[in-house]
Amino acid sequence: MNDRYDTGDAGYGAAPYELVGYDEHGQPVYRQIPAQQAPQHEQPYDPYGRQGYGYDPYATGAGQQQTPAYDPYDTGQQPAAAPGYDPYGAGNPYDPYGTGAHPTATPYDPYGQTAPDGRQQPRGAEQTAYIPQQAGPADRARHPGGHEDDHAGPEGPDGPTGPGAPEDGDRDYRTEQFAFVEDPDGDSEDVIDWLKFTENRTERREEARRRARARVVALVVVLALVAVGGVGWLWYTGKLPGLSSSGSGTGAGSTPVSAQKRDVIVVHLHNTGKGGTSTALLVDNTTTQQGTTVLLPNSLAVSGDDGTATTLAKSVDDDGASGTRDQLDTVLGTDIQGSWRLDTPYLQNLVDLVGNIDLDTNADVPDPSAKKKGAAPLVHQGKAQTLSGKMAVAYATYRAPGEAQNAQLERFGQVMQGVLRKLSSDPSAATTTVQTLAQILDPPLTDKDLGTFLARLADLAKGGDYRTALLPVQPDGTLTARTGDSVVKDILGGTAKSPDAGSAVRVSVQNATGVKDDTEKARVVLLNGGFTFLEGGTASGTQSASKVLYTDAADKANASEVAKTLGLPASAVAKGSVSSGADVSVVLGGDYKPSAS
């Protein structure tokens, strides 16, 4: 089918028209085909344009000679000049049907982008949505009636006329009269920027809230872990209130008291000036991380190797450190690793080495070196008193007139704890301090062992995990389960094993005859008679008559039996003061005849 029409038949005029495209309303647009001239000469068909055919696929213009155009429908028409094929609209009209027409006006616009009046048409997508605008002042001036002028023909002011042109009375809208929805106005970029800014600010606020919540949650978790860890540590070390070892029978965690590990050293303070000794146990409980000084009264009853009962003070003087350590292990049911003999000069040097100590003193202590009475006291009673080595020795050995021996023992415990608070917690430094004392230690204790042990106790004393306890002893020097459990069981982890009070009558013997051997002879006689012998020492002077004393009326018969065993008259038996730990006290006088017994 050919797009050429004979206007003679169509009624449009004498010349034929050719379809060249469509306008913005989709209506066909035609153009008038000029009269063809007769060809000058003919050439054979050259499909590849090598013989001068006018087809130039790249619109270069080369080879466009006056040759017959290719007529695919073989109509027999011979146009004078065949227009070149120009698919890109570079200037040569497109003649798809080979009619030979050579238009001179509008080039082929396959996408309808160029309007007949030369203006750029909107794209197909843009044509589907538009909004008519109100006519401007220029339009109203040109059309006073408020309507567009009718089309004036093929070359009218509002567009071409002819076949396919708008009919009379139709409105012809131009491109500039429409505001397309897809075209952004001037404020669109500002709106987009504002939306982006608002969205970013909202996101930043939300992110800040999320980070704040995360920090709060992390802080709560950390505090909870710290609280749980603290409670667990207190429970493990046995320091949680209401869970003391004495009440529950367990120390750190679930470790029984008897299974807790302890390091124990016994220290004997020898007063080289006035005589006498003071004894204490230094205990390091490595399970509960607790240090303790256990004060042992001199009246504590212990059993000797020969089965005789004696006091702690007599054992230290007679049996020495090694024998006393074994006796204490038997009585207290503990395990003492070493003995430390600390004479008062060495205690003075130790205090001076650590740089003095601070104590809350409970008495005014006179200066032992003062030559006249009424001199100012060496140590004043009061809080936080700073004591030098000399002052510390005087306070540790001081016993006021009429005071019990336990009062002096407690002062010795204060001095020991004060020394530990000032001693270095470093084992090497503590060992150096011990070596500086230049004292000879009893085997198996060495300077390094003692220094390391004291360093551990010093660390506990500085941390507040150190205390001092007095071992409760009955008047006769024995221990009971009730009085000894709080110290023997809980602190030492042992069991009290004092000499049985009912197994034998305990007899304390003091020699006032002036003959040293009389004590040993009396001991043999009493042991053979089934009594328990207690060493009472030697009196400062001699007595002519012997005495056999008892305190309780129940012991009167036992006193009479003792006098008979020793060969003393019945008149020697009397009620009086008895030595600590003894049932009957005997003072041997000049009337004692060992040979007669």
Side-chain angles (χ1 to χ4, degrees):
M1 178 178 178
N2 200 321
D3 287 337
R4 298 193 183 101
Y5 295 89
D6 189 355
T7 58
D9 296 336
Y12 292 101
Y17 284 84
E18 180 182 16
L19 177 68
V20 296
Y22 298 88
D23 59 9
E24 64 270 24
H25 303 291
Q27 300 296 329
V29 177
Y30 298 89
R31 68 178 175 177
Q32 187 176 3
I33 302 176
Q36 300 180 359
Q37 297 180 359
Q40 300 297 329
H41 58 273
E42 295 182 356
Q43 290 184 357
Y45 164 64
D46 185 7
Y48 299 99
R50 290 193 292 265
Q51 302 297 328
Y53 178 64
Y55 171 74
D56 186 5
Y58 300 99
T60 61
Q64 295 185 5
Q65 303 178 3
Q66 299 296 328
T67 58
Y70 171 59
D71 185 8
Y73 297 97
D74 196 15
T75 60
Q77 297 179 1
Q78 300 294 331
Y85 172 69
D86 187 9
Y88 302 100
N92 294 328
Y94 173 57
D95 186 9
Y97 300 102
T99 61
H102 195 82
T104 59
T106 307
Y108 171 63
D109 186 11
Y111 300 100
Q113 295 179 347
T114 305
D117 57 354
R119 292 189 298 270
Q120 182 72 19
Q121 294 191 91
R123 294 187 299 275
E126 296 173 345
Q127 295 177 7
T128 60
Y130 59 87
I131 302 174
Q133 295 179 347
Q134 298 295 332
D139 295 332
R140 288 194 295 271
R142 189 171 65 248
H143 307 292
H147 298 282
E148 298 286 345
D149 292 340
D150 294 337
H151 297 285
E155 300 298 331
D158 295 331
T161 61
E167 297 180 358
D168 295 340
D170 292 343
R171 297 174 63 86
D172 184 13
Y173 297 99
R174 292 185 300 277
T175 304
E176 62 271 12
Q177 294 180 268
F178 298 91
F180 296 97
V181 175
E182 293 187 358
D183 291 342
D185 55 12
D187 297 334
S188 62
E189 294 296 333
D190 295 338
V191 173
I192 293 174
D193 292 341
W194 172 253
L195 292 176
K196 290 182 178 179
F197 170 74
T198 305
E199 181 180 3
N200 292 338
R201 184 172 63 178
T202 304
E203 291 179 353
R204 288 194 298 269
R205 288 178 177 176
E206 291 296 331
E207 181 64 23
R209 293 191 186 99
R210 286 193 293 269
R211 287 196 299 266
R213 287 194 295 267
R215 292 191 188 101
V216 172
V217 172
L219 180 60
V220 171
V221 171
V222 170
L223 292 178
L225 291 177
V226 171
V228 172
V231 173
W233 174 253
L234 292 176
W235 172 80
Y236 178 79
T237 57
K239 299 178 182 178
L240 193 64
L243 295 178
S244 62
S245 60
S246 60
S248 61
T250 59
S254 58
T255 306
V257 173
S258 58
Q260 296 173 12
K261 186 179 183 304
R262 301 170 179 84
D263 294 329
V264 183
I265 288 180
V266 57
V267 54
H268 302 291
L269 177 63
H270 288 258
N271 189 345
T272 58
K274 295 182 179 180
T277 60
S278 301
T279 304
L281 297 178
L282 303 180
V283 183
D284 176 20
N285 191 322
T286 58
T287 303
T288 62
Q289 298 296 317
Q290 179 72 41
T292 309
T293 297
V294 179
L295 304 176
L296 305 180
N298 285 335
S299 61
L300 175 65
V302 295
S303 298
D305 295 335
D306 56 359
T308 60
T310 185
T311 61
L312 175 61
K314 295 297 182 181
S315 177
V316 174
D317 290 337
D318 297 340
D319 299 331
S322 177
T324 302
R325 182 173 66 246
D326 294 337
Q327 294 172 14
L328 289 175
D329 283 339
T330 302
V331 172
L332 302 177
T334 186
D335 183 16
I336 301 174
Q337 286 81 33
S339 299
W340 180 21
R341 173 170 176 156
L342 183 62
D343 293 346
T344 50
Y346 291 112
L347 175 60
Q348 179 176 339
N349 294 338
L350 179 61
V351 174
D352 291 336
L353 285 174
V354 299
N356 300 336
I357 59 176
D358 297 326
L359 300 178
D360 294 337
T361 59
N362 56 18
D364 290 334
V365 179
D367 188 354
S369 61
K371 297 181 179 180
K372 58 180 180 178
K373 296 181 180 181
L378 180 63
V379 178
H380 293 275
Q381 179 181 359
K383 297 281 187 179
Q385 296 293 313
T386 300
L387 306 184
S388 63
K390 180 180 178 181
M391 298 167 66
V393 170
Y395 184 77
T397 59
Y398 177 69
R399 180 177 177 182
E403 278 189 335
Q405 192 263 335
N406 290 346
Q408 176 267 320
L409 192 62
E410 290 176 352
R411 296 187 182 101
F412 170 54
Q414 284 183 276
V415 171
M416 289 303 300
Q417 187 167 348
V419 170
L420 292 174
R421 281 198 298 262
K422 295 296 293 289
L423 190 68
S424 175
S425 300
D426 180 57
S428 299
T431 300
T432 302
T433 301
V434 172
Q435 291 173 345
T436 306
L437 293 176
Q439 65 179 140
I440 299 175
L441 300 177
D442 295 332
L445 192 63
T446 64
D447 293 340
K448 183 178 181 181
D449 294 338
L450 181 59
T452 303
F453 177 78
L454 294 178
R456 292 200 305 266
L457 292 182
D459 186 60
L460 295 175
K462 294 174 183 177
D465 298 322
Y466 200 94
R467 58 174 175 162
T468 301
L470 177 66
L471 179 68
V473 176
Q474 299 185 94
D476 60 357
T478 60
L479 300 173
T480 64
R482 183 177 58 84
T483 59
D485 277 353
S486 60
V487 175
V488 177
K489 181 180 179 182
D490 297 338
I491 298 177
L492 301 176
T495 303
K497 298 180 180 179
S498 295
D500 296 334
S503 60
V505 177
R506 289 167 295 178
V507 180
S508 174
V509 177
Q510 184 180 34
N511 189 355
T513 63
V515 180
K516 186 177 181 179
D517 294 340
D518 287 348
T519 302
E520 180 62 22
K521 294 177 179 178
R523 186 183 70 83
V524 173
V525 171
L526 291 174
L527 289 177
N528 292 336
F531 297 97
T532 300
F533 176 81
L534 298 178
E535 175 66 47
T538 303
S540 58
T542 61
Q543 295 182 9
S544 59
S546 299
K547 294 181 180 179
V548 180
L549 305 175
Y550 64 92
T551 300
D552 296 333
D555 292 327
K556 182 178 180 180
N558 294 330
S560 300
E561 188 65 27
V562 168
K564 186 185 297 186
T565 303
L566 292 176
L568 298 175
S571 59
V573 178
K575 186 176 182 179
S577 178
V578 178
S579 301
S580 176
D583 300 320
V584 177
S585 292
V586 176
V587 178
L588 297 178
D591 58 350
Y592 173 62
K593 302 300 181 183
S595 59
S597 55

